[in-house]
Amino acid sequence: MEVVRTGSKVIVGIVIVFVLALVWWLASPLFLNESVDEGLPPGSSTVEQKEEENTPETSQPSPEETEAELSGTFMNGEKNYKTSGDVKTLTVDDTLYLRFEDFQTTNGPDLFVYLVEPGEDTADGIRLGALKGNQGNQNYVIPKDVDLTKHSRVVIWCRAFDADFGTGDLKAMNE
């Protein structure tokens, strides 16, 4: 009889520890913030931009320099999820980046950055990676084969809750 009670206590203890760990994983992001402050991608400093501005008018810019940058503003997501800040694209050394500036979103477990075609389910979009932090400036590399005229919506998506925490639509800077 003692062995059965001891075995039951061990099982109950394991279940309690598992439930507490699960509750912590789901609830802790609601009151803990993770701040990030990444600088501009290497090669895109303001010093280099100033040097480019001072070059003679006769020099022709390379194709990368003439590409139109895209930008947008984050909006709140589903339910009570709050998201704000700016999003834009940057081309540096033939690499296209997605940059968040003054970014803030409700924290949550399992958050990812996606590029999505408007009207498409987020999970069917292009995943750029896990969200680095729910506050601050951050950069994400965009794969070369992504067509930003189609995948023009940036989504902060929570895989655990299948919820969009925030969205931002990329548009040409002159629009």
Side-chain angles (χ1 to χ4, degrees), residues 29 32-36 107 131-136 138:
L32 297 176
N33 289 317
E34 190 170 339
S35 294
V36 175
N107 204 357
L131 187 69
K132 296 174 183 177
N134 69 308
Q135 298 177 343
Q138 41 203 291

Coordinates of all heavy atoms in Angstrom, one line a residue, residues 29 32-36 107 131-136 138:
P29 N 5.7 36.2 -20.4 CA 5.8 37.2 -21.4 C 4.9 38.4 -21.2 O 5.1 39.5 -21.6 CB 5.6 36.6 -22.7 CG 5.9 35.1 -22.5 CD 5.5 34.9 -21.1
L32 N 6.9 40.5 -18.6 CA 8.4 40.6 -18.8 C 8.6 41.2 -20.2 O 8.0 40.7 -21.1 CB 9.1 39.3 -18.7 CG 9.1 38.6 -17.3 CD1 9.8 37.3 -17.4 CD2 9.8 39.5 -16.3
N33 N 9.4 42.2 -20.3 CA 9.7 42.8 -21.7 C 11.1 42.4 -22.0 O 12.0 42.3 -21.2 CB 9.6 44.3 -21.6 CG 8.1 44.7 -21.6 OD1 7.3 44.1 -22.2 ND2 7.8 45.7 -20.8
E34 N 11.3 42.2 -23.3 CA 12.7 41.9 -23.8 C 13.0 43.0 -24.8 O 12.5 43.1 -25.9 CB 12.7 40.6 -24.5 CG 14.1 40.2 -24.8 CD 14.2 38.7 -25.3 OE1 13.3 37.9 -25.0 OE2 15.2 38.4 -25.9
S35 N 14.0 43.9 -24.4 CA 14.4 45.1 -25.3 C 15.6 44.7 -26.1 O 16.5 44.0 -25.7 CB 14.7 46.2 -24.4 OG 13.6 46.7 -23.7
V36 N 15.6 45.2 -27.3 CA 16.6 45.0 -28.3 C 17.0 46.4 -28.9 O 16.1 47.2 -29.1 CB 16.2 44.0 -29.4 CG1 17.2 43.9 -30.5 CG2 15.8 42.7 -28.9
N107 N 4.2 41.5 -25.4 CA 5.0 40.3 -25.4 C 4.2 39.1 -25.3 O 3.0 39.1 -24.8 CB 6.0 40.4 -24.2 CG 7.3 39.5 -24.5 OD1 7.4 38.9 -25.5 ND2 8.2 39.6 -23.6
L131 N 11.0 36.6 -33.3 CA 11.1 38.0 -32.9 C 12.2 38.2 -31.8 O 12.3 37.4 -30.9 CB 9.8 38.5 -32.3 CG 9.7 40.0 -32.0 CD1 9.6 40.8 -33.3 CD2 8.4 40.3 -31.2
K132 N 13.1 39.1 -32.1 CA 14.3 39.2 -31.2 C 14.0 39.9 -29.9 O 14.6 39.6 -28.9 CB 15.4 40.1 -31.9 CG 15.9 39.4 -33.2 CD 16.8 40.2 -34.0 CE 17.2 39.5 -35.2 NZ 18.1 40.3 -36.1
G133 N 13.0 40.7 -29.8 CA 12.5 41.4 -28.6 C 11.2 42.1 -28.9 O 10.9 42.4 -30.0
N134 N 10.4 42.3 -27.8 CA 9.2 43.0 -28.0 C 9.3 44.5 -28.0 O 8.3 45.2 -28.2 CB 8.1 42.5 -27.0 CG 8.4 42.9 -25.6 OD1 9.5 42.7 -25.1 ND2 7.4 43.5 -25.0
Q135 N 10.5 45.0 -27.8 CA 10.8 46.4 -27.8 C 12.1 46.7 -28.5 O 13.0 46.0 -28.3 CB 10.8 47.0 -26.4 CG 9.6 46.8 -25.6 CD 9.7 47.3 -24.1 OE1 10.8 47.5 -23.6 NE2 8.6 47.5 -23.5
G136 N 12.1 47.8 -29.2 CA 13.4 48.3 -29.8 C 13.6 48.0 -31.2 O 12.8 47.4 -31.9
Q138 N 15.4 46.5 -34.5 CA 15.9 45.2 -34.9 C 15.9 45.0 -36.4 O 15.1 45.7 -37.1 CB 15.2 44.1 -34.2 CG 13.7 44.3 -34.1 CD 13.1 43.5 -32.9 OE1 13.0 42.3 -33.0 NE2 12.6 44.2 -31.9

